[in-house]
Each structure stands twice: as C-alpha cells, then as structure tokens.
C-alpha cells in the first residue's frame, strides 16, 4: 500500500462553480442521510423501510430522531460529526495534516455522545503516533471497522483539487490515525475515489504566455 503521509498541502486550486455545488451537495446530502438513519442505527436491516414505506412529505419528513442515543429530530450522528471535524482540520491546515486532524478529532471526542470502540481507543492517546496500533492490540486485532469510512466525504471533496494519487494517500492517512487494520484504509480510499470521480474537476488555471 502507498505510504501514508503526515502532511499533504493543498495545491491551492479553486473549485469551479459546478464542482463547488456538488461538493456542498456531497457534505449536506451525507449529513441528511445520516440524520434520517440515526433512529435505526444498530438495528436489524429493513427497519427504516418498515417504518417509512412511502416518502413522508411536509414537516420534518423522516428526520424523526430517537434511536439508541435519543438523537433530536434532524440531528446527525458521530459519522457526520467526525466528517465535519475532518473538514475543519483540512481547512485550517490548508490540506491534510495529521497533527491538526488529531487535535480536531480529540476535541470532538471529548464531548461526543457516541464514539465507536476503535476510534475511542485510539483517541484516548494524546499523540497520534502509535495510537491506532495500540488500539489494535487492545482490541485483539479487530480494527477493520467502518469508523474511518463514515467520515470520508470531505476527503473525496478535497480530492478534486488533489488528484487521484494524493487523494488515495490522504484517505489512507486519515484512516491510519484511528484504524490500524489496512482493510479500513482500503475501504476509505475506495469510497473517496468514487466520491471524487462523481464531481466535475476544477477549472484549469489560466496560462500566461510570455515572449
């Protein structure tokens, strides 16, 4: 697997209007879908369809809240909360920076209502160095879970300006912060590549010709 960097600066290109529109849609769409499914998290398949066999029009629709953590109507879960923390870290650092992401993740974790076992075990450590491996050992090698996949949307958006190779590396790097099992990194990278491919590429930079 491609070695994961600890820092990948953004190339500084701007998204086109069409790409920006789709990027916003990707983040908002995943948040709405997360909120719609919050009540049914950890339940057997089919419960959402059983409760909502037809679309609910008007009011709050299917965003009813509830579930294992008594989510408020329209409230999204740790999936989107971590995605927003990752997005804020990328924006602050001007690209992927492991230290910045780790700081945002730990700040989120300190007040979070729901934190997955693998993520929680890793974020217990003050430093990201060795944290995922320590969590992997503590959990008996069972860290091939979906925690690093559920937060991947901002990386897919960022990948539009990074390019596929760097996108893959960043997706792996953010996964490796909390999930030591490589299957988690592969899953995160695959999903981010798919998200990136669905968005139009940024407009090319203007070319300056000199005599």
């Amino acid at each position: 697997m491609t070695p994961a960097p600890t820092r990948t600066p953004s190339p500084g290109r701007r998204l086109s209007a069409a790409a920006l529109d789709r990027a916003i849609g990707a983040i908002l769409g995943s948040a709405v879908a997360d909120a719609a499914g919050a009540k049914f998290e950890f339940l057997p398949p089919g419960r959402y369809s059983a409760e909502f066999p037809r679309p609910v029009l008007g009011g709050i629709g299917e965003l009813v809240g509830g579930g294992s953590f008594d989510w408020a109507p329209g409230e999204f879960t740790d999936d989107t909360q971590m995605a927003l923390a990752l997005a804020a870290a990328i924006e602050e650092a001007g690209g992927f920076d492991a230290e910045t992401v780790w700081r945002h993740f730990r700040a989120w974790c300190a007040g979070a209502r729901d934190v997955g076992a693998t993520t929680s075990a890793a974020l217990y450590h003050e430093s990201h160095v060795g944290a995922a491996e320590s969590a992997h050992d503590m959990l008996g090698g069972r860290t091939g879970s979906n925690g690093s996949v559920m937060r991947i949307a901002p990386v897919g958006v960022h990948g539009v300006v990074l390019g596929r190779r760097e996108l893959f590396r960043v997706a792996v790097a953010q996964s490796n912060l909390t999930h030591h099992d490589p299957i988690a990194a592969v899953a995160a990278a695959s999903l981010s590549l798919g998200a990136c491919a669905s968005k139009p590429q940024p407009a090319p930079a203007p070319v300056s010709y000199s005599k």
Side-chain angles (χ1 to χ4, degrees):
M1 181 178 293
T2 305
T6 58
R7 179 168 176 78
T8 299
S10 172
R13 290 181 292 170
R14 293 184 176 276
L15 295 177
S16 67
L20 180 60
D21 187 58
R22 292 196 182 188
I24 293 172
I27 301 299
L28 289 180
S30 61
V32 171
D34 184 23
K39 177 180 179 178
F40 307 96
E41 191 175 20
F42 310 122
L43 297 182
R47 295 295 295 272
Y48 181 94
S49 298
E51 182 158 342
F52 301 114
R54 291 177 297 278
V56 178
L57 305 178
I60 60 173
E62 296 90 344
L63 305 179
V64 294
S68 302
F69 294 92
D70 194 26
W71 302 106
E75 184 179 9
F76 43 69
T77 74
D78 58 317
D79 297 9
T80 302
Q81 292 167 12
M82 287 206 81
L84 294 180
L86 179 56
I90 291 173
E91 181 181 19
E92 178 184 322
F96 175 82
D97 175 67
E99 295 285 353
T100 305
V101 173
W102 193 252
R103 175 164 48 81
H104 278 263
F105 279 177
R106 294 196 79 220
W108 161 78
C109 185
R113 191 183 313 175
D114 175 26
V115 186
T118 301
T119 299
S120 177
L123 293 178
Y124 172 80
H125 298 78
E126 289 189 14
S127 171
H128 68 87
V129 178
E133 186 173 5
S134 176
H136 186 76
D137 293 340
M138 188 184 79
L139 296 171
R142 300 174 59 189
T143 59
S145 48
N146 68 353
S148 67
V149 179
M150 68 186 190
R151 64 191 187 220
I152 202 65
V155 176
V157 169
H158 189 47
V160 177
V161 296
L162 284 179
R164 294 174 65 85
R165 183 182 296 274
E166 285 304 304
L167 166 61
F168 183 92
R169 285 164 57 83
V170 169
V172 169
Q174 69 81 32
S175 179
N176 287 348
L177 287 175
T178 52
H179 290 66
H180 188 65
D181 193 321
I183 192 65
V186 170
S190 299
L191 186 59
S192 66
L193 286 168
C196 179
S198 69
K199 300 175 181 63
Q201 299 302 303
V207 178
S208 175
Y209 296 96
S210 58
K211 295 181 180 180

